[in-house]
Amino acid sequence: AATPTSPRGTTRLAAASLPQPEDVLPDGRGGVLASCGDGVIRRLSGQGEVTTFAVTHGRPLGMAWLPGRSELLVADAVHGLLRVDSRGAVQGVLDRFDGRRLTYVDDVVVSATGTAYVSDATARIGWHDDPRLEMASHDPTGQVLEVRPDGRVARLVGRLYFANGVALLGDHLLVNETAAYRVQRCGIVGGARGRCEVWIDRLPGLPDNLRVSPRGTVWLALVVPRRGILDQWIHPHAAGFWAMALAPQWALPKGELRGQVLELSDQGRPLRRLESPSGHYAMSTSAREHEGVLWLGHIDRRQGGVLRLPLSP
């Protein structure tokens, strides 16, 4: 990947009011919405005021505006795909597919025509389960579902290793596989629909949300750096997988608390790698560019708040 640089001018906003803001979405009014770890979507105004926008009573993760920007789709890991109107009223859209309850809806992106693409991370665990079990199984049960404006639902692609962030790039959908350190590029129209190829592989960390910039590049957040012990001793061996899954938390190798974000070209070539000093900002989950500012979300329990980073050329 590109040589890492430490971002300058980063400001943490509303640290006491926005716990674990997974995703950050500009609201079109000079502020942003943040999907927080306590089941609340909050609005941070341009003046720094924090108010409640909606309460899902679950775990809201990825967010996307529907055309017209008066209604919001929310990927909620507990309750599935939700629709939120301008008053904050929450309505269920999708929580079952193909005879199975969706237990880990992770991200959503919406096309200009209103079709939504939703990542269902895994069929093996739910939000409240230990994610180590999923990583230990290394079983590709993730999928991406296509939800059309008329309510029809179809599987676009399956057999993904923990399907996480999704983004639309031309006639293709990008979807990252967190457990495989890679991003897939999948067709969404014509004969290419549902056909995927690796867009970028061997990432230096576990990939989370993907967001396309106004310039057509892609911002990719890496939630934790890649660890040599995982690659050399745990991933290659079945016994290593289960040792990781069943060991007590205190016995596991500690992940480094260092935030990482990549900017990639539309061909998947690394352009920029932003990396925070260790311990300052960690567990990056989203990076969304708007009007020359990069808004950063995270799931770091130690301190809340969203991060605002003015971008240099």
Side-chain angles (χ1 to χ4, degrees):
T3 301
T5 59
S6 180
R8 299 178 182 275
T10 306
T11 304
R12 187 183 295 270
L13 303 174
S17 306
L18 302 176
Q20 296 182 288
E22 163 88 11
D23 195 14
V24 185
L25 178 66
D27 64 0
R29 297 162 43 182
V32 295
L33 301 177
S35 53
C36 297
D38 58 357
V40 180
I41 299 173
R42 294 181 173 88
R43 170 179 273 127
L44 172 66
S45 74
Q47 292 72 44
E49 180 185 6
V50 176
T51 55
T52 296
F53 176 74
V55 180
T56 73
H57 300 289
R59 187 17 169 146
L61 298 173
M63 303 180 289
W65 290 111
L66 284 165
R69 300 178 65 88
S70 63
E71 291 188 306
L72 184 71
L73 287 185
V74 178
D76 189 291
V78 178
H79 298 304
L81 184 66
L82 306 175
R83 184 194 302 261
V84 182
D85 67 19
S86 59
R87 299 168 298 170
V90 178
Q91 177 184 3
V93 175
L94 179 68
D95 63 359
R96 300 187 67 84
F97 177 76
D98 199 21
R100 179 181 70 85
R101 184 173 177 271
L102 304 178
T103 58
Y104 212 123
V105 171
D106 200 305
D107 197 18
V108 59
V109 65
V110 180
S111 73
T113 60
T115 296
Y117 297 90
V118 182
S119 63
D120 172 33
T122 171
R124 182 176 294 275
I125 65 171
W127 173 256
H128 298 295
D129 296 322
D130 190 335
R132 293 179 297 165
L133 298 175
E134 172 67 17
M135 300 303 173
S137 71
H138 213 60
D139 185 16
T141 63
Q143 61 183 345
V144 174
L145 302 177
E146 180 184 73
V147 183
R148 299 183 181 178
D150 61 8
R152 288 182 295 166
V153 182
R155 180 184 292 111
L156 178 71
V157 60
R159 294 193 57 78
L160 297 172
Y161 291 94
F162 203 88
N164 199 323
V166 288
L168 286 168
L169 193 63
D171 291 335
H172 291 83
L173 180 85
L174 301 179
V175 53
N176 85 52
E177 294 180 281
T178 299
Y181 300 112
R182 69 185 182 188
V183 178
Q184 297 266 25
R185 179 177 177 264
C186 306
I188 58 174
V189 296
R193 186 180 183 279
R195 295 182 182 177
C196 301
E197 61 183 4
V198 174
W199 188 68
I200 187 170
D201 201 359
R202 296 178 293 177
L203 289 162
L206 293 173
D208 207 296
N209 288 323
L210 294 146
R211 302 292 179 243
V212 177
S213 79
R215 294 165 285 106
T217 61
V218 177
W219 288 103
L220 172 62
L222 303 177
V223 67
V224 291
R226 195 161 178 164
R227 299 294 306 279
I229 190 173
L230 295 178
D231 295 336
Q232 297 168 23
W233 298 104
I234 294 179
H235 288 168
H237 311 290
F241 273 122
W242 290 108
M244 179 182 72
L246 300 175
Q249 193 70 37
W250 60 264
L252 295 174
K254 299 298 184 288
E256 187 176 358
L257 295 176
R258 173 164 48 90
Q260 293 187 94
V261 174
L262 298 179
E263 184 179 17
L264 307 166
S265 74
D266 58 1
Q267 299 300 313
R269 181 172 61 87
L271 302 174
R272 276 194 277 191
R273 180 176 169 185
L274 305 180
E275 186 175 287
S276 73
S278 181
H280 174 68
Y281 159 62
M283 306 197 78
S284 316
T285 51
S286 64
R288 200 185 296 260
E289 182 180 338
H290 180 67
E291 296 182 347
V293 171
L294 193 64
W295 292 94
L296 302 170
H298 64 90
I299 53 171
D300 189 352
R301 291 181 180 274
R302 300 169 308 150
Q303 50 187 339
V306 299
L307 280 83
R308 181 183 187 276
L309 172 63
L311 287 172
S312 59

